[in-house]
C-alpha cells in the first residue's frame, strides 16, 4: 500500500540539527511519535513522509527554508518550502504541499494511495482534503492531543482544527476520549497509546549513578516539584534532566545550589535512549489531571517502560491498568509526595525486585506496542479503509 504521510516529523538527523540551530526549540514529543509511526508502517507499506517543518518568525535568522528532501534509511522525507511570512502561509502553503505530493506521485509512479495526516496541523489537513477531492484518496487522521490542551493556540485555530478534521475517513487516536472528540461521524478508528522502538544497549555515560527526567520543562508537568523534592533528599545520586521549557533558568539556578542536579538542555533521541537505559530510575512527575488522563498519554512513560530501567510515575489510568505491578506508582504528585516516594525508594537495601519488574515491563511493552506487531494491525486497519 502507498501511504502519503503528511506530518511535521523530520528524519532523526535533520531534527537533531534543526533543534540545535533553532533559537525557538521545536517540541520533540510529536517528532518522536510520528517518526516511530512512519518506521512502523514502512515495515509493511511504501511510506512517503511529507514534513511541514515547524517554522515561525525568530526561529532562525532566515525567513524561509527551501524545498528539500532527506533519506532516513530506506525512507525519503520530502520537505516543502516554509516561510515565516503570514501571507505565504495563508495563500501559498497548501499549494506548495500539493506540489510536493505531485512530485512524489510522479517520481514513484503511484496509481493509488491513502493519506495519513497529523490533525493538529491545519495546513496539512487542508492539503489532504484537496487531495482527497482530486484523487479520491482516503484520509486517516492521527490524533495525538486535543488542541484545546495546547499552549499559545487561539480559539479560532482550535475551531478550525475541529472543523477540518471532523469528516475524515478514519482515525488513529492515542485515547478513546480523543476518538469521541474528533470522530463525530463514528468512522473506523484505531486506538494506539504509543509505540516502542527496540534500541540496542548503549554504554553508560561517565556521570555517576543518576535518576532521569526527560521532557518539556514546565511547572504544570510537575518538573519543579521533582527538582525541589530531589534537592531535599539525602541520596548520593545525581538527577539528570534533559529538555527545554520555561524552567530552564530555574534548573540552572538549582544546579548551582545542588551539584547533584545535572542539566543537559535538549539532546537528541539517541542520547535520551542512552540516559533512560542506564538510569537507576526514570521519573514521570506529571500531576494527575482528569482531562489530560483522558486525552493524552505521556510519551516519556512508554519510553521509560521500554528502557528496561525501573520507572517511577504519577498516575496515568490506562498505563496503570496495563502495568499496575511494573511501575512505582506515586499517588501524591506534590513536592512532598515526590520527596516521600524518592526517600522510600532509596531507603531500600537493594532494587533487585524493581529491576526484575522493569525487565518484565520491557517485554510487555514491546508485545503491546512494538513495531512488528503494530505494523500488521495498523496495515490491516488502513487496508480496510482503503477498500471500503
Amino acid at each position: 500500500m502507498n501511504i502519503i504521510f503528511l506530518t511535521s516529523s523530520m528524519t532523526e538527523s535533520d531534527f537533531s540539527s534543526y533543534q540545535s540551530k533553532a533559537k525557538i526549540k521545536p517540541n520533540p514529543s510529536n517528532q518522536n511519535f510520528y517518526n516511530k509511526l512512519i518506521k512502523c508502517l514502512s515495515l509493511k507499506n511504501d511510506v512517503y513522509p511529507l514534513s511541514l517543518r515547524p517554522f515561525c518568525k525568530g526561529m532562525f535568522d532566515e525567513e524561509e527554508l527551501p524545498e528539500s528532501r532527506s533519506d532516513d534509511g530506506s525512507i525519503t522525507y520530502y520537505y516543502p518550502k516554509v516561510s515565516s511570512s503570514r501571507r505565504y502561509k495563508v495563500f501559498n502553503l497548501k499549494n506548495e504541499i500539493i506540489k510536493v505530493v505531485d512530485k512524489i506521485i510522479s517520481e514513484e509512479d503511484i496509481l493509488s494511495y491513502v493519506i495519513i495526516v497529523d490533525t493538529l496541523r491545519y495546513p496539512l489537513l487542508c492539503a489532504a482534503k484537496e487531495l482527497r477531492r482530486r484523487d479520491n484518496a482516503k484520509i486517516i487522521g492521527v490524533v495525538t492531543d486535543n488542541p484545546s490542551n495546547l499552549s499559545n493556540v487561539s480559539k479560532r485555530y482550535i475551531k478550525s482544527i475541529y472543523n477540518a478534521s471532523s469528516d475524515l475517513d478514519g482515525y488513529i487516536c492515542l485515547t478513546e476520549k480523543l476518538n469521541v472528540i474528533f470522530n463525530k461521524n463514528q468512522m473506523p478508528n484505531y486506538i494506539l497509546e504509543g509505540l516502542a522502538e527496540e534500541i540496542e544497549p548503549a554504554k553508560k555515560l561517565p556521570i555517576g549513578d543518576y535518576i532521569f527526567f526527560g521532557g518539556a520543562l514546565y511547572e504544570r508537568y510537575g518538573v519543579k516539584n521533582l527538582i525541589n523534592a530531589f534537592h531535599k533528599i539525602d541520596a548520593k545520586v545525581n538527577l539528570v534532566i534533559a529538555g527545554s521549557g520555561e524552567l530552564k533558568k530555574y534548573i540552572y539556578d538549582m544546579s548551582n545550589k545542588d551539584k547533584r542536579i545535572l542539566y543537559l538542555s535538549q539532546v537528541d533521541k539517541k542520547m535520551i535512549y542512552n540516559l533512560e537505559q542506564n538510569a537507576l530510575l526514570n521519573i514521570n512527575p506529571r500531576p494527575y489531571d482528569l482531562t489530560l488522563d483522558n486525552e493524552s498519554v505521556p510519551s516519556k512513560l512508554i519510553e521509560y517502560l521500554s528502557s528496561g530501567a525501573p520507572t517511577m510515575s504519577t498516575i496515568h489510568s490506562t498505563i496503570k491498568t496495563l502495568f499496575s505491578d511494573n511501575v512505582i506508582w506515586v499517588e501524591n504528585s506534590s513536592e512532598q509526595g515526590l520527596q516521600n516516594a524518592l526517600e522510600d525508594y532509596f531507603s531500600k537495601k537493594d532494587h533487585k525486585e524493581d529491576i526484575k519488574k522493569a525487565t518484565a515491563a520491557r517485554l510487555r511493552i514491546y508485545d503491546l506496542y512494538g513495531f512488528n506487531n503494530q505494523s500488521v494491525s495498523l496495515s490491516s486497519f488502513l487496508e480496510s479503509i482503503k477498500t471500503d
Side-chain angles (χ1 to χ4, degrees):
M1 187 188 329
N2 294 308
I3 299 172
I4 304 293
F5 203 124
L6 305 182
T7 178
S8 59
S9 177
M10 298 175 251
T11 70
E12 293 174 25
S13 59
D14 286 344
F15 183 77
S16 178
S17 174
Y18 203 80
Q19 72 171 0
S20 68
K21 295 175 182 176
K23 298 174 183 176
I24 302 171
K25 302 297 183 184
N27 188 338
S29 178
N30 265 9
Q31 156 70 20
N32 292 339
F33 174 80
Y34 279 104
N35 193 271
K36 290 175 185 176
L37 183 54
I38 289 164
K39 286 181 179 178
C40 177
L41 288 170
S42 71
L43 296 181
K44 298 288 182 182
N45 307 278
D46 294 316
V47 184
Y48 305 97
L50 180 149
S51 172
L52 180 58
R53 293 161 289 184
F55 194 78
C56 62
K57 193 174 290 293
M59 197 171 195
F60 298 96
D61 292 334
E62 300 90 343
E63 294 185 0
E64 65 178 46
L65 299 176
E67 178 185 332
S68 63
R69 63 181 68 182
S70 184
D71 292 333
D72 186 7
S74 62
I75 305 169
T76 298
Y77 279 66
Y78 298 81
Y79 303 117
K81 172 186 170 183
V82 287
S83 170
S84 60
S85 163
R86 178 170 174 77
R87 179 177 177 81
Y88 176 83
K89 292 176 181 178
V90 173
F91 295 106
N92 303 101
L93 183 53
K94 184 183 79 171
N95 290 335
E96 190 71 26
I97 293 167
I98 292 172
K99 183 182 80 173
V100 175
V101 170
D102 287 340
K103 285 185 179 180
I104 298 171
I105 292 171
S106 175
E107 291 175 7
E108 300 295 334
D109 196 23
I110 294 173
L111 299 178
S112 66
Y113 61 94
V114 298
I115 301 166
I116 296 181
V117 61
D118 178 352
T119 55
L120 295 180
R121 301 302 300 273
Y122 182 71
L124 294 178
L125 280 167
C126 293
K129 297 180 86 166
E130 176 65 22
L131 289 165
R132 178 173 65 179
R133 184 195 64 77
R134 191 192 73 181
D135 295 346
N136 198 31
K138 297 293 180 70
I139 304 174
I140 296 89
V142 181
V143 187
T144 57
D145 206 344
N146 186 339
S148 297
N149 297 333
L150 302 179
S151 304
N152 303 318
V153 178
S154 70
K155 290 182 179 179
R156 182 179 178 183
Y157 190 82
I158 293 169
K159 186 177 180 180
S160 297
I161 291 291
Y162 286 145
N163 290 339
S165 58
S166 64
D167 62 344
L168 307 184
D169 301 295
Y171 297 83
I172 298 171
C173 302
L174 256 63
T175 71
E176 184 56 49
K177 179 64 174 180
L178 288 174
N179 181 56
V180 170
I181 292 170
F182 277 77
N183 189 5
K184 298 296 186 183
N185 296 327
Q186 297 185 340
M187 301 301 285
N189 67 88
Y190 189 102
I191 306 302
L192 178 66
E193 289 90 358
L195 287 165
E197 184 175 14
E198 294 226 28
I199 303 298
E200 292 294 320
K203 185 178 179 181
K204 185 177 180 293
L205 298 171
I207 52 178
D209 292 334
Y210 64 91
I211 59 179
F212 177 69
F213 170 82
L217 306 179
Y218 291 91
E219 187 170 356
R220 67 180 182 273
Y221 295 150
V223 180
K224 193 171 185 178
N225 282 346
L226 171 61
I227 293 165
N228 292 343
F230 176 81
H231 180 57
K232 291 179 180 178
I233 69 169
D234 182 21
K236 292 180 173 60
V237 297
N238 295 319
L239 169 62
V240 176
I241 299 173
S244 184
E246 65 186 15
L247 289 176
K248 283 177 66 173
K249 184 179 184 305
Y250 184 79
I251 296 170
Y252 277 127
D253 292 342
M254 287 299 293
S255 67
N256 287 326
K257 292 181 183 178
D258 189 337
K259 298 304 180 184
R260 300 174 303 161
I261 298 173
L262 308 178
Y263 177 46
L264 304 182
S265 190
Q266 193 158 297
V267 298
D268 63 31
K269 188 168 75 172
K270 185 176 180 181
M271 177 69 79
I272 291 289
Y273 286 158
N274 184 315
L275 291 164
E276 290 169 346
Q277 284 180 2
N278 293 295
L280 293 178
L281 184 68
N282 291 307
I283 303 185
N284 169 41
R286 189 176 80 173
Y288 176 84
D289 177 273
L290 181 60
T291 298
L292 290 177
D293 193 67
N294 286 331
E295 298 177 6
S296 68
V297 177
S299 57
K300 69 173 70 64
L301 195 45
I302 301 289
E303 276 190 17
Y304 288 172
L305 290 168
S306 65
S307 72
T311 297
M312 177 181 287
S313 177
T314 50
I315 303 301
H316 185 276
S317 297
T318 300
I319 303 301
K320 189 176 184 207
T321 299
L322 294 169
F323 297 91
S324 59
D325 296 327
N326 302 100
V327 174
I328 302 160
W329 295 106
V330 181
E331 298 282 346
N332 182 353
S333 62
S334 69
E335 179 182 318
Q336 186 63 55
L338 290 171
Q339 180 182 341
N340 291 343
L342 288 170
E343 286 175 340
D344 287 346
Y345 184 78
F346 286 109
S347 68
K348 296 179 183 179
K349 291 183 179 179
D350 67 61
H351 298 98
K352 291 179 182 177
E353 190 62 27
D354 295 314
I355 294 169
K356 183 179 177 181
K357 290 179 178 180
T359 302
R362 186 174 188 270
L363 294 174
R364 179 156 171 71
I365 205 82
Y366 285 125
D367 185 51
L368 288 171
Y369 304 124
F371 286 7
N372 289 332
N373 290 342
Q374 284 294 336
S375 65
V376 174
S377 300
L378 281 165
S379 297
S380 177
F381 170 71
L382 296 176
E383 191 66 47
S384 70
I385 293 175
K386 182 185 177 185
T387 56
D388 185 25

